[in-house]
Amino acid sequence: MSLSLSELKLFREVVSLPTAPFCESKVQAFVREWAAGNGIGFEEDKVGNILLTYKTPGRAPQHPWVLQAHMDHPGFEWNSRRGRTVQAWFRGSVGEHYFPGARMQFFPLTGNPVSGTVEVVRRDRESGFLKCRIKLDEAVPLEPGTPGMWELPPWKKRGNRLELRVVDDLCGVVSILMTLKRLKDSGARRKVYGLLTRAEEVGFVGAISAAKNRLVDPAFPILGIEASKAQPNAKIGQGAIVRVGDASTVFDPELTSSLRKTARALHRADPSLKFVESLMPGGSCESTGLALLGYRTCAVCLPLGSYHNMGASKIEAEKIDLRDFESMVALLTEVSQTKPGDSNTAELKKRMLENHRKRAELLYGWK
């Protein structure tokens, strides 16, 4: 199912927002306004994680799906300035050799971005974050905490190929907004939540706080949405990925089986919707972190090029295929209206035991 013009507009708006770990305020403000304008429930915990709710008339299902993504991306935070020289933090996993000479921008609350060049970078032993010395093009006073990102076009579309300043994970955020809007417009019958977390790029800090704050009922199943480095068996353009696991663990088999069943049914009904089933070892995601805290989790993701803006030799835009994104949104929309864990495992068990009943007696003729 192709995106509508209004969905493409929303897509471009969200991925163009500046963000960084602990500096997600512009994303939070956008989502708050979007929810109010579209009749979607909005709640924040005390640290700024967001819970969106598509509410249905009548009785809600016992265990509604929670669609989950994070609002940050590896980036800078303004710390101090002397003349044109700025000291800033960089948080998130990017190789240090990419920094010297790289162009970046700070994004104040109002006004135009402020550009500069990274001169020196070193790792702070205590925090583990990078300290950067940046030379601004012109001396501009900004508030401490102002977010910064690489100086890249936020959106470039060439056919179905998208080159974005941020895919990971603002594409996950906007996929949830699109899904909730589609459910509301269609009058879908099952309640669905959207959990948007902060500071994933520095160790699931927001997601862990959301769990500790009980922003989401621990009984609710969580479907994590990410972008993960493309693999030989999961290439850009081959389809959205039903993510069996990540670099750290595998996910709930019943929930994953539900995703597989729904994805296969969608592809049979519309072959333009494509899916790959794969363990994606390029990194660990919040589905692992939340599973370790007692939640049942599963995951989908987009195959990603130039992960965390790391090109072959320099900083560049992240890359995805629009058709993969469209397939992912179709899957989220469809699976959110199914009963969690409603897979084919019960039928498989029935067939297995029936086969055993018919053939087990042959075991006794082996002598």
Side-chain angles (χ1 to χ4, degrees):
M1 179 179 179
S2 298
L3 301 185
S4 67
L5 291 178
S6 61
E7 287 176 328
L8 274 173
K9 180 177 181 291
L10 177 65
F11 196 171
R12 184 168 184 167
E13 287 175 338
V14 172
V15 299
S16 298
L17 294 168
T19 189
F22 308 111
C23 301
E24 303 94 342
S25 60
K26 290 203 173 185
V27 181
Q28 293 164 299
F30 182 95
V31 172
R32 186 182 298 109
E33 183 177 346
W34 177 89
N38 286 278
I40 299 296
F42 180 94
E43 180 184 352
E44 271 184 314
D45 68 7
K46 59 187 178 182
V47 298
N49 295 303
I50 292 172
L51 186 67
L52 300 171
T53 309
Y54 164 62
K55 301 176 182 178
T56 58
R59 185 177 178 182
Q62 186 175 8
H63 294 139
W65 283 98
V66 180
L67 311 179
Q68 184 271 325
H70 62 89
M71 296 182 282
D72 63 319
H73 181 79
F76 299 86
E77 180 183 356
W78 176 292
N79 188 14
S80 62
R81 179 184 65 89
R82 177 175 293 179
R84 290 170 52 206
T85 300
V86 168
Q87 302 296 326
W89 291 106
F90 186 91
R91 301 184 178 100
S93 179
V94 174
E96 293 180 36
H97 63 283
Y98 285 96
F99 285 77
R103 295 285 293 170
M104 59 79 61
Q105 292 178 307
F106 288 105
F107 294 85
L109 286 175
T110 59
N112 296 322
V114 178
S115 298
T117 301
V118 181
E119 294 185 323
V120 178
V121 61
R122 66 178 179 85
R123 189 166 299 278
D124 179 68
R125 290 184 179 180
E126 183 177 353
S127 67
F129 303 139
L130 296 178
K131 285 186 173 181
C132 303
R133 189 179 76 206
I134 299 166
K135 181 70 73 175
L136 299 180
D137 294 352
E138 55 181 320
V140 178
L142 293 176
E143 293 293 324
T146 298
M149 307 189 76
W150 302 115
E151 189 176 64
L152 296 166
W155 171 279
K156 186 181 290 186
K157 185 176 182 294
R158 297 176 179 176
N160 286 308
R161 290 300 175 104
L162 295 178
E163 298 181 5
L164 310 177
R165 183 174 60 208
V166 180
V167 171
D168 174 20
D169 194 22
L170 293 186
C171 280
V173 171
V174 74
S175 72
I176 292 175
L177 304 190
M178 286 185 193
T179 299
L180 296 178
K181 182 69 163 60
R182 288 184 180 185
L183 295 176
K184 183 171 180 60
D185 289 349
S186 66
R189 298 180 63 182
R190 292 186 67 90
K191 185 177 186 178
V192 180
Y193 292 101
L195 174 62
L196 307 180
T197 56
R198 301 182 62 199
E200 184 272 352
E201 300 290 357
V202 292
F204 318 147
V205 176
I208 294 170
S209 293
K212 287 181 174 291
N213 295 336
R214 293 297 181 103
L215 184 57
V216 172
D217 189 320
F220 294 173
I222 295 180
L223 198 175
I225 305 161
E226 266 281 9
S228 186
K229 185 177 180 180
Q231 302 294 322
N233 63 328
K235 298 178 181 178
I236 297 172
Q238 288 186 335
I241 298 163
V242 175
R243 191 173 190 175
V244 177
D246 62 12
S248 298
T249 189
V250 294
F251 305 134
D252 185 281
E254 281 288 328
L255 296 180
T256 302
S257 187
S258 292
L259 286 179
R260 294 172 66 235
K261 178 182 177 182
T262 304
R264 292 177 180 184
L266 281 172
H267 178 67
R268 286 194 299 267
D270 182 354
S272 70
L273 299 174
K274 297 180 179 180
F275 304 94
V276 176
E277 300 165 9
S278 179
L279 187 146
M280 299 296 283
S284 298
C285 64
E286 287 165 306
S287 293
T288 284
L290 291 167
L292 293 173
L293 296 175
Y295 288 85
R296 295 179 66 204
T297 66
C298 57
V300 297
C301 66
L302 296 170
L304 177 64
S306 302
Y307 167 74
H308 282 186
N309 304 113
M310 292 183 286
S313 60
K314 63 179 182 179
I315 291 295
E316 59 187 36
E318 294 189 312
K319 301 170 182 67
I320 58 169
D321 192 293
L322 178 61
R323 293 165 296 186
D324 296 343
F325 180 83
E326 290 170 339
S327 295
M328 185 174 76
V329 175
L331 178 56
L332 297 175
T333 304
E334 189 73 15
V335 80
S336 71
Q337 294 303 293
T338 65
K339 181 181 177 181
D342 184 14
S343 65
N344 61 348
T345 53
E347 179 61 27
L348 286 173
K349 179 180 178 181
K350 180 180 177 181
R351 295 200 329 247
M352 180 184 70
L353 292 177
E354 178 64 18
N355 182 73
H356 177 268
R357 184 186 67 79
K358 291 178 179 179
R359 298 173 177 174
E361 63 184 29
L362 297 177
L363 293 171
Y364 298 97
W366 66 277
K367 290 184 180 180

